[in-house]
mmCIF file of all heavy atoms in Angstrom:
data_model
loop_
_atom_site.group_PDB
_atom_site.id
_atom_site.type_symbol
_atom_site.label_atom_id
_atom_site.label_comp_id
_atom_site.label_asym_id
_atom_site.label_seq_id
_atom_site.Cartn_x
_atom_site.Cartn_y
_atom_site.Cartn_z
ATOM 1 N N GLN A 1 -0.377 7.904 3.626
ATOM 2 C CA GLN A 1 -1.428 8.927 3.291
ATOM 3 C C GLN A 1 -0.884 10.001 2.330
ATOM 4 O O GLN A 1 -1.663 10.464 1.473
ATOM 5 C CB GLN A 1 -1.855 9.558 4.630
ATOM 6 C CG GLN A 1 -2.534 8.627 5.559
ATOM 7 C CD GLN A 1 -2.678 9.066 6.939
ATOM 8 O OE1 GLN A 1 -1.914 10.015 7.503
ATOM 9 N NE2 GLN A 1 -3.627 8.574 7.754
ATOM 10 N N GLU A 2 0.476 10.344 2.426
ATOM 11 C CA GLU A 2 0.924 11.308 1.430
ATOM 12 C C GLU A 2 1.056 10.784 0.062
ATOM 13 O O GLU A 2 0.858 11.531 -0.895
ATOM 14 C CB GLU A 2 2.265 11.839 2.040
ATOM 15 C CG GLU A 2 2.773 13.069 1.379
ATOM 16 C CD GLU A 2 1.898 14.314 1.586
ATOM 17 O OE1 GLU A 2 1.200 14.394 2.600
ATOM 18 O OE2 GLU A 2 1.850 15.153 0.637
ATOM 19 N N ALA A 3 1.218 9.426 -0.008
ATOM 20 C CA ALA A 3 1.330 8.860 -1.401
ATOM 21 C C ALA A 3 -0.124 8.994 -1.997
ATOM 22 O O ALA A 3 -0.169 9.221 -3.255
ATOM 23 C CB ALA A 3 1.654 7.295 -1.201
ATOM 24 N N GLU A 4 -1.119 8.884 -1.247
ATOM 25 C CA GLU A 4 -2.533 9.009 -1.748
ATOM 26 C C GLU A 4 -2.730 10.392 -2.202
ATOM 27 O O GLU A 4 -3.260 10.629 -3.293
ATOM 28 C CB GLU A 4 -3.532 8.635 -0.737
ATOM 29 C CG GLU A 4 -3.477 7.124 -0.530
ATOM 30 C CD GLU A 4 -4.559 6.630 0.567
ATOM 31 O OE1 GLU A 4 -5.478 7.348 0.793
ATOM 32 O OE2 GLU A 4 -4.305 5.649 1.179
ATOM 33 N N VAL A 5 -2.214 11.380 -1.440
ATOM 34 C CA VAL A 5 -2.356 12.855 -1.860
ATOM 35 C C VAL A 5 -1.604 13.022 -3.229
ATOM 36 O O VAL A 5 -2.040 13.625 -4.111
ATOM 37 C CB VAL A 5 -1.766 13.685 -0.785
ATOM 38 C CG1 VAL A 5 -1.644 15.156 -1.257
ATOM 39 C CG2 VAL A 5 -2.605 13.611 0.458
ATOM 40 N N HIS A 6 -0.323 12.446 -3.317
ATOM 41 C CA HIS A 6 0.426 12.534 -4.437
ATOM 42 C C HIS A 6 -0.274 11.904 -5.727
ATOM 43 O O HIS A 6 -0.344 12.498 -6.781
ATOM 44 C CB HIS A 6 1.731 11.750 -4.245
ATOM 45 C CG HIS A 6 2.717 11.986 -5.368
ATOM 46 N ND1 HIS A 6 3.559 13.159 -5.414
ATOM 47 C CD2 HIS A 6 3.099 11.183 -6.372
ATOM 48 C CE1 HIS A 6 4.263 12.976 -6.589
ATOM 49 N NE2 HIS A 6 4.108 11.824 -7.094
ATOM 50 N N ALA A 7 -0.937 10.700 -5.505
ATOM 51 C CA ALA A 7 -1.647 10.037 -6.557
ATOM 52 C C ALA A 7 -2.750 10.939 -7.081
ATOM 53 O O ALA A 7 -3.084 11.160 -8.239
ATOM 54 C CB ALA A 7 -2.125 8.653 -6.160
ATOM 55 N N SER A 8 -3.520 11.475 -6.101
ATOM 56 C CA SER A 8 -4.739 12.256 -6.452
ATOM 57 C C SER A 8 -4.256 13.535 -7.216
ATOM 58 O O SER A 8 -4.904 13.912 -8.132
ATOM 59 C CB SER A 8 -5.427 12.783 -5.166
ATOM 60 O OG SER A 8 -6.043 11.647 -4.514
ATOM 61 N N ALA A 9 -3.132 14.161 -6.789
ATOM 62 C CA ALA A 9 -2.605 15.324 -7.431
ATOM 63 C C ALA A 9 -2.281 15.048 -8.870
ATOM 64 O O ALA A 9 -2.299 15.897 -9.760
ATOM 65 C CB ALA A 9 -1.408 15.945 -6.698
ATOM 66 N N LEU A 10 -1.850 13.792 -9.145
ATOM 67 C CA LEU A 10 -1.453 13.419 -10.530
ATOM 68 C C LEU A 10 -2.635 12.868 -11.272
ATOM 69 O O LEU A 10 -2.530 12.593 -12.514
ATOM 70 C CB LEU A 10 -0.353 12.321 -10.455
ATOM 71 C CG LEU A 10 0.951 12.667 -9.915
ATOM 72 C CD1 LEU A 10 1.904 11.445 -9.825
ATOM 73 C CD2 LEU A 10 1.651 13.670 -10.835
ATOM 74 N N GLY A 11 -3.809 12.842 -10.643
ATOM 75 C CA GLY A 11 -5.090 12.342 -11.290
ATOM 76 C C GLY A 11 -4.992 10.905 -11.438
ATOM 77 O O GLY A 11 -5.613 10.363 -12.376
ATOM 78 N N LEU A 12 -4.267 10.126 -10.659
ATOM 79 C CA LEU A 12 -4.226 8.654 -10.662
ATOM 80 C C LEU A 12 -5.162 8.040 -9.753
ATOM 81 O O LEU A 12 -5.189 8.325 -8.496
ATOM 82 C CB LEU A 12 -2.802 8.186 -10.544
ATOM 83 C CG LEU A 12 -1.742 8.872 -11.409
ATOM 84 C CD1 LEU A 12 -0.306 8.387 -11.031
ATOM 85 C CD2 LEU A 12 -1.968 8.390 -12.898
ATOM 86 N N PRO A 13 -6.013 7.160 -10.160
ATOM 87 C CA PRO A 13 -7.145 6.487 -9.385
ATOM 88 C C PRO A 13 -6.684 5.433 -8.501
ATOM 89 O O PRO A 13 -7.463 5.006 -7.649
ATOM 90 C CB PRO A 13 -8.091 6.000 -10.444
ATOM 91 C CG PRO A 13 -7.240 5.699 -11.598
ATOM 92 C CD PRO A 13 -6.127 6.604 -11.609
ATOM 93 N N LYS A 14 -5.543 4.881 -8.660
ATOM 94 C CA LYS A 14 -5.120 3.751 -7.759
ATOM 95 C C LYS A 14 -3.670 3.709 -7.532
ATOM 96 O O LYS A 14 -2.835 4.260 -8.291
ATOM 97 C CB LYS A 14 -5.576 2.437 -8.286
ATOM 98 C CG LYS A 14 -5.027 2.039 -9.715
ATOM 99 C CD LYS A 14 -5.613 0.784 -10.194
ATOM 100 C CE LYS A 14 -5.219 0.421 -11.581
ATOM 101 N NZ LYS A 14 -5.843 -0.769 -12.054
ATOM 102 N N ILE A 15 -3.314 3.063 -6.422
ATOM 103 C CA ILE A 15 -1.856 2.795 -6.001
ATOM 104 C C ILE A 15 -1.737 1.257 -6.027
ATOM 105 O O ILE A 15 -2.474 0.557 -5.543
ATOM 106 C CB ILE A 15 -1.510 3.415 -4.711
ATOM 107 C CG1 ILE A 15 -1.834 4.925 -4.650
ATOM 108 C CG2 ILE A 15 -0.106 3.149 -4.246
ATOM 109 C CD1 ILE A 15 -1.668 5.675 -3.333
ATOM 110 N N VAL A 16 -0.547 0.860 -6.637
ATOM 111 C CA VAL A 16 -0.224 -0.612 -6.629
ATOM 112 C C VAL A 16 1.204 -0.765 -6.043
ATOM 113 O O VAL A 16 2.004 0.197 -5.959
ATOM 114 C CB VAL A 16 -0.198 -1.148 -8.073
ATOM 115 C CG1 VAL A 16 -1.637 -1.132 -8.709
ATOM 116 C CG2 VAL A 16 0.792 -0.489 -8.920
ATOM 117 N N MET A 17 1.373 -1.908 -5.537
ATOM 118 C CA MET A 17 2.722 -2.263 -4.862
ATOM 119 C C MET A 17 2.971 -3.773 -5.006
ATOM 120 O O MET A 17 1.955 -4.470 -5.203
ATOM 121 C CB MET A 17 2.822 -1.755 -3.426
ATOM 122 C CG MET A 17 1.952 -2.659 -2.489
ATOM 123 S SD MET A 17 2.097 -2.074 -0.909
ATOM 124 C CE MET A 17 1.273 -0.558 -0.834
ATOM 125 N N THR A 18 4.201 -4.100 -4.876
ATOM 126 C CA THR A 18 4.537 -5.510 -4.790
ATOM 127 C C THR A 18 5.104 -5.768 -3.367
ATOM 128 O O THR A 18 5.889 -4.943 -2.925
ATOM 129 C CB THR A 18 5.532 -5.959 -5.876
ATOM 130 O OG1 THR A 18 6.707 -5.086 -5.822
ATOM 131 C CG2 THR A 18 4.851 -5.872 -7.280
ATOM 132 N N VAL A 19 4.813 -6.967 -2.855
ATOM 133 C CA VAL A 19 5.309 -7.378 -1.522
ATOM 134 C C VAL A 19 5.682 -8.818 -1.702
ATOM 135 O O VAL A 19 4.937 -9.633 -2.306
ATOM 136 C CB VAL A 19 4.224 -7.152 -0.433
ATOM 137 C CG1 VAL A 19 4.826 -7.659 0.907
ATOM 138 C CG2 VAL A 19 3.769 -5.778 -0.390
ATOM 139 N N ILE A 20 6.745 -9.172 -1.080
ATOM 140 C CA ILE A 20 7.199 -10.575 -1.076
ATOM 141 C C ILE A 20 6.121 -11.433 -0.438
ATOM 142 O O ILE A 20 5.678 -11.099 0.645
ATOM 143 C CB ILE A 20 8.534 -10.795 -0.439
ATOM 144 C CG1 ILE A 20 9.702 -10.029 -1.066
ATOM 145 C CG2 ILE A 20 8.914 -12.292 -0.281
ATOM 146 C CD1 ILE A 20 11.029 -10.035 -0.339
ATOM 147 N N SER A 21 5.650 -12.502 -1.118
ATOM 148 C CA SER A 21 4.509 -13.239 -0.809
ATOM 149 C C SER A 21 4.534 -13.837 0.610
ATOM 150 O O SER A 21 3.503 -14.015 1.283
ATOM 151 C CB SER A 21 4.249 -14.292 -1.785
ATOM 152 O OG SER A 21 5.254 -15.232 -1.848
ATOM 153 N N ILE A 22 5.654 -14.184 1.107
ATOM 154 C CA ILE A 22 5.782 -14.786 2.466
ATOM 155 C C ILE A 22 5.871 -13.750 3.553
ATOM 156 O O ILE A 22 6.021 -14.112 4.749
ATOM 157 C CB ILE A 22 6.927 -15.774 2.476
ATOM 158 C CG1 ILE A 22 8.314 -15.144 2.211
ATOM 159 C CG2 ILE A 22 6.690 -16.957 1.544
ATOM 160 C CD1 ILE A 22 9.451 -16.064 2.350
ATOM 161 N N ARG A 23 5.759 -12.551 3.189
ATOM 162 C CA ARG A 23 5.758 -11.440 4.312
ATOM 163 C C ARG A 23 4.451 -11.214 4.799
ATOM 164 O O ARG A 23 3.794 -10.047 4.708
ATOM 165 C CB ARG A 23 6.378 -10.107 3.653
ATOM 166 C CG ARG A 23 7.783 -10.270 3.054
ATOM 167 C CD ARG A 23 8.981 -10.552 4.123
ATOM 168 N NE ARG A 23 8.769 -9.597 5.214
ATOM 169 C CZ ARG A 23 9.212 -8.298 5.219
ATOM 170 N NH1 ARG A 23 9.767 -7.692 4.198
ATOM 171 N NH2 ARG A 23 9.134 -7.602 6.336
ATOM 172 N N LYS A 24 3.777 -12.178 5.414
ATOM 173 C CA LYS A 24 2.429 -12.130 5.867
ATOM 174 C C LYS A 24 2.153 -10.960 6.856
ATOM 175 O O LYS A 24 1.162 -10.225 6.625
ATOM 176 C CB LYS A 24 2.029 -13.407 6.613
ATOM 177 C CG LYS A 24 0.605 -13.347 7.053
ATOM 178 C CD LYS A 24 0.081 -14.680 7.666
ATOM 179 C CE LYS A 24 -1.326 -14.628 8.071
ATOM 180 N NZ LYS A 24 -2.079 -13.451 8.049
ATOM 181 N N GLU A 25 3.068 -10.587 7.687
ATOM 182 C CA GLU A 25 2.799 -9.504 8.684
ATOM 183 C C GLU A 25 2.713 -8.232 7.912
ATOM 184 O O GLU A 25 2.065 -7.229 8.226
ATOM 185 C CB GLU A 25 3.892 -9.533 9.850
ATOM 186 C CG GLU A 25 5.195 -9.057 9.311
ATOM 187 C CD GLU A 25 5.966 -10.125 8.532
ATOM 188 O OE1 GLU A 25 5.632 -11.280 8.365
ATOM 189 O OE2 GLU A 25 7.092 -9.720 7.921
ATOM 190 N N LEU A 26 3.541 -8.051 6.921
ATOM 191 C CA LEU A 26 3.643 -6.783 6.058
ATOM 192 C C LEU A 26 2.408 -6.739 5.201
ATOM 193 O O LEU A 26 1.781 -5.663 5.156
ATOM 194 C CB LEU A 26 4.903 -6.760 5.203
ATOM 195 C CG LEU A 26 5.343 -5.508 4.655
ATOM 196 C CD1 LEU A 26 5.377 -4.309 5.622
ATOM 197 C CD2 LEU A 26 6.611 -5.650 3.840
ATOM 198 N N ILE A 27 2.061 -7.841 4.592
ATOM 199 C CA ILE A 27 0.814 -7.758 3.763
ATOM 200 C C ILE A 27 -0.424 -7.476 4.617
ATOM 201 O O ILE A 27 -1.300 -6.691 4.276
ATOM 202 C CB ILE A 27 0.627 -9.236 3.010
ATOM 203 C CG1 ILE A 27 1.762 -9.483 2.070
ATOM 204 C CG2 ILE A 27 -0.760 -9.312 2.402
ATOM 205 C CD1 ILE A 27 1.935 -10.884 1.572
ATOM 206 N N ASP A 28 -0.473 -8.141 5.836
ATOM 207 C CA ASP A 28 -1.586 -7.746 6.795
ATOM 208 C C ASP A 28 -1.641 -6.270 7.108
ATOM 209 O O ASP A 28 -2.739 -5.684 7.153
ATOM 210 C CB ASP A 28 -1.482 -8.557 8.054
ATOM 211 C CG ASP A 28 -1.759 -10.041 7.827
ATOM 212 O OD1 ASP A 28 -2.287 -10.423 6.775
ATOM 213 O OD2 ASP A 28 -1.434 -10.816 8.769
ATOM 214 N N TRP A 29 -0.516 -5.675 7.308
ATOM 215 C CA TRP A 29 -0.439 -4.200 7.601
ATOM 216 C C TRP A 29 -0.940 -3.453 6.447
ATOM 217 O O TRP A 29 -1.799 -2.450 6.635
ATOM 218 C CB TRP A 29 1.038 -3.840 7.945
ATOM 219 C CG TRP A 29 1.184 -2.447 8.358
ATOM 220 C CD1 TRP A 29 1.012 -1.980 9.685
ATOM 221 C CD2 TRP A 29 1.618 -1.224 7.642
ATOM 222 N NE1 TRP A 29 1.239 -0.640 9.741
ATOM 223 C CE2 TRP A 29 1.600 -0.166 8.474
ATOM 224 C CE3 TRP A 29 1.880 -1.121 6.205
ATOM 225 C CZ2 TRP A 29 1.927 1.175 8.068
ATOM 226 C CZ3 TRP A 29 2.173 0.194 5.890
ATOM 227 C CH2 TRP A 29 2.228 1.225 6.632
ATOM 228 N N TYR A 30 -0.545 -3.721 5.260
ATOM 229 C CA TYR A 30 -1.063 -2.972 4.033
ATOM 230 C C TYR A 30 -2.561 -3.277 3.884
ATOM 231 O O TYR A 30 -3.313 -2.300 3.537
ATOM 232 C CB TYR A 30 -0.302 -3.461 2.782
ATOM 233 C CG TYR A 30 1.076 -2.797 2.634
ATOM 234 C CD1 TYR A 30 2.231 -3.557 2.650
ATOM 235 C CD2 TYR A 30 1.221 -1.452 2.612
ATOM 236 C CE1 TYR A 30 3.455 -3.015 2.475
ATOM 237 C CE2 TYR A 30 2.399 -0.792 2.539
ATOM 238 C CZ TYR A 30 3.512 -1.602 2.390
ATOM 239 O OH TYR A 30 4.834 -0.996 2.394
ATOM 240 N N ASN A 31 -3.057 -4.524 4.116
ATOM 241 C CA ASN A 31 -4.554 -4.760 4.142
ATOM 242 C C ASN A 31 -5.217 -3.830 5.033
ATOM 243 O O ASN A 31 -6.270 -3.305 4.666
ATOM 244 C CB ASN A 31 -4.740 -6.286 4.437
ATOM 245 C CG ASN A 31 -4.388 -7.294 3.485
ATOM 246 O OD1 ASN A 31 -4.279 -8.502 3.761
ATOM 247 N ND2 ASN A 31 -4.116 -6.865 2.221
ATOM 248 N N ARG A 32 -4.723 -3.658 6.239
ATOM 249 C CA ARG A 32 -5.377 -2.820 7.230
ATOM 250 C C ARG A 32 -5.455 -1.391 6.745
ATOM 251 O O ARG A 32 -6.185 -0.600 7.179
ATOM 252 C CB ARG A 32 -4.715 -2.931 8.574
ATOM 253 C CG ARG A 32 -4.843 -4.251 9.243
ATOM 254 C CD ARG A 32 -4.381 -4.179 10.743
ATOM 255 N NE ARG A 32 -3.044 -3.885 10.959
ATOM 256 C CZ ARG A 32 -2.072 -4.710 10.953
ATOM 257 N NH1 ARG A 32 -2.360 -6.090 10.666
ATOM 258 N NH2 ARG A 32 -0.795 -4.428 11.093
ATOM 259 N N HIS A 33 -4.616 -0.975 5.810
ATOM 260 C CA HIS A 33 -4.553 0.405 5.236
ATOM 261 C C HIS A 33 -5.210 0.454 3.865
ATOM 262 O O HIS A 33 -5.030 1.398 3.134
ATOM 263 C CB HIS A 33 -3.124 0.918 5.162
ATOM 264 C CG HIS A 33 -2.550 1.201 6.528
ATOM 265 N ND1 HIS A 33 -1.993 0.193 7.315
ATOM 266 C CD2 HIS A 33 -2.652 2.262 7.387
ATOM 267 C CE1 HIS A 33 -1.562 0.614 8.502
ATOM 268 N NE2 HIS A 33 -1.985 1.947 8.543
ATOM 269 N N GLY A 34 -6.020 -0.624 3.530
ATOM 270 C CA GLY A 34 -6.850 -0.613 2.359
ATOM 271 C C GLY A 34 -6.248 -1.156 1.128
ATOM 272 O O GLY A 34 -6.870 -1.103 0.009
ATOM 273 N N TYR A 35 -5.055 -1.783 1.123
ATOM 274 C CA TYR A 35 -4.456 -2.348 -0.016
ATOM 275 C C TYR A 35 -4.922 -3.818 -0.084
ATOM 276 O O TYR A 35 -4.726 -4.564 0.947
ATOM 277 C CB TYR A 35 -3.005 -2.274 0.147
ATOM 278 C CG TYR A 35 -2.488 -0.865 -0.139
ATOM 279 C CD1 TYR A 35 -2.464 0.073 0.972
ATOM 280 C CD2 TYR A 35 -2.135 -0.357 -1.438
ATOM 281 C CE1 TYR A 35 -2.056 1.339 0.726
ATOM 282 C CE2 TYR A 35 -1.718 0.913 -1.456
ATOM 283 C CZ TYR A 35 -1.732 1.787 -0.456
ATOM 284 O OH TYR A 35 -1.415 3.117 -0.652
#
């Protein structure tokens, strides 16, 4: 949530990240948070 505040303060419209493809549980967690 604070990363989103930071992005907004910089005027950046999106956040990107990389996750190791076989980390399904982690990818699912990020999906639940809108990624």
Side-chain angles (χ1 to χ4, degrees):
Q1 290 167 340
E2 195 60 33
E4 291 179 26
V5 169
H6 187 78
S8 293
L10 293 173
L12 302 175
K14 63 183 169 180
I15 299 175
V16 297
M17 69 176 73
T18 55
V19 180
I20 297 173
S21 60
I22 59 176
R23 302 289 315 279
K24 183 173 176 2
E25 71 290 347
L26 194 54
I27 294 165
D28 290 345
W29 187 83
Y30 283 120
N31 289 163
R32 288 192 301 274
H33 291 88
Y35 290 83

